[in-house]
Amino acid sequence: MTSNNTYSNTKLDRKIVERNRRIQMKGLCSQLASLVPSHYFKTSKATLAQRDQVDIATTYIMHLKERIEELKKKKQRLTMDNEQGGLDPSDSMRIGLQLPMLEIRDYGFGLEVNLISGLRKNFMLYEVINVLEEEGASVVSASLSTVGNKVFHTLHAQVKTVRVGIVTSRVCKRLQELVSRMQF
């Protein structure tokens, strides 16, 4: 009788351990999904299967890795320019004329807007936000970094109404017009 009792206790212990493991994994997957910006999800996070949430998180991580590599290469190029005695006046003049620089990335249900401007230039961030909101996007985050005499603005926006979406080409055109009108 004792061996039968021991067998059922061992079996019960394994079931409890497995249940606790599954609960822990579910919590970890939920925590992982919460770290991914909502514009990466086409539907609600709650309605997606755990496997789909992990797949989207994996895609997001790969995107971040690619972005990091791009930024490292850009940093390396800029560092090499500075180490080689900086830019000659004609290059700095040409770069001055290129500012501000605008880049827009479309992620389907969201946009990333990167704008680089000069440190001593008039720049109205609220005007860019207004254009995005007028075009059907809601700004979910904005960041600003200053490196040398350049200011880097990054805005993340997501579609307000999925059914309507955002026409990226129109947003790009309006932002280009706005940037060209600014006093740089």
Side-chain angles (χ1 to χ4, degrees):
M1 190 75 144
T2 308
S3 66
N4 193 17
N5 223 2
T6 305
Y7 174 74
S8 66
N9 284 343
T10 305
K11 191 174 181 180
L12 185 61
D13 287 343
R14 280 189 275 173
K15 284 184 178 181
I16 291 171
V17 168
E18 178 62 18
R19 184 182 67 200
N20 289 342
R21 185 193 67 80
R22 287 181 185 202
I23 290 170
Q24 182 183 17
M25 287 303 293
K26 184 177 181 181
L28 290 172
C29 286
S30 176
Q31 186 179 6
L32 178 65
S34 72
L35 296 174
V36 178
S38 57
H39 65 270
Y40 273 82
F41 293 92
K42 293 180 182 177
T43 61
S44 170
K45 291 179 190 179
T47 61
L48 287 176
Q50 210 170 15
R51 180 179 300 218
D52 294 334
Q53 289 179 358
V54 171
D55 287 344
I56 290 172
T58 303
T59 302
Y60 176 64
I61 290 168
M62 295 306 292
H63 169 259
L64 290 178
K65 282 183 177 181
E66 290 172 3
R67 184 78 174 127
I68 288 169
E69 288 303 314
E70 288 174 15
L71 292 173
K72 281 181 181 178
K73 288 177 184 175
K74 187 181 259 186
K75 179 182 176 182
Q76 189 176 25
R77 280 194 317 266
L78 291 172
T79 303
M80 289 174 73
D81 285 345
N82 286 339
E83 287 174 356
Q84 294 173 353
L87 302 171
D88 68 346
S90 63
D91 285 344
S92 63
M93 294 279 284
R94 198 167 58 242
I95 288 175
L97 293 175
Q98 291 176 351
L99 289 180
M101 294 173 58
L102 177 69
E103 178 184 32
I104 299 175
R105 292 189 176 148
D106 186 356
Y107 295 114
F109 291 95
L111 291 176
E112 179 181 273
V113 177
N114 293 302
L115 180 65
I116 303 171
S117 65
L119 188 59
R120 294 182 184 94
K121 308 298 181 182
N122 291 332
F123 177 65
M124 302 298 174
L125 187 60
Y126 75 90
E127 292 177 325
V128 174
I129 294 172
N130 282 342
V131 168
L132 291 170
E133 290 186 350
E134 288 172 3
E135 292 298 329
S138 175
V139 176
V140 293
S141 70
S143 65
L144 169 127
S145 300
T146 304
V147 177
N149 62 351
K150 294 181 182 140
V151 181
F152 297 82
H153 302 272
T154 303
L155 291 97
H156 291 98
Q158 66 184 36
V159 177
K160 287 181 186 177
T161 307
V162 177
R163 190 179 66 209
V164 176
I166 300 174
V167 180
T168 308
S169 60
R170 190 168 65 204
V171 172
C172 187
K173 181 180 176 189
R174 287 192 62 194
L175 288 177
Q176 287 287 0
E177 290 171 358
L178 176 67
V179 166
S180 66
R181 282 195 321 248
M182 291 182 181
Q183 302 281 324
F184 286 98

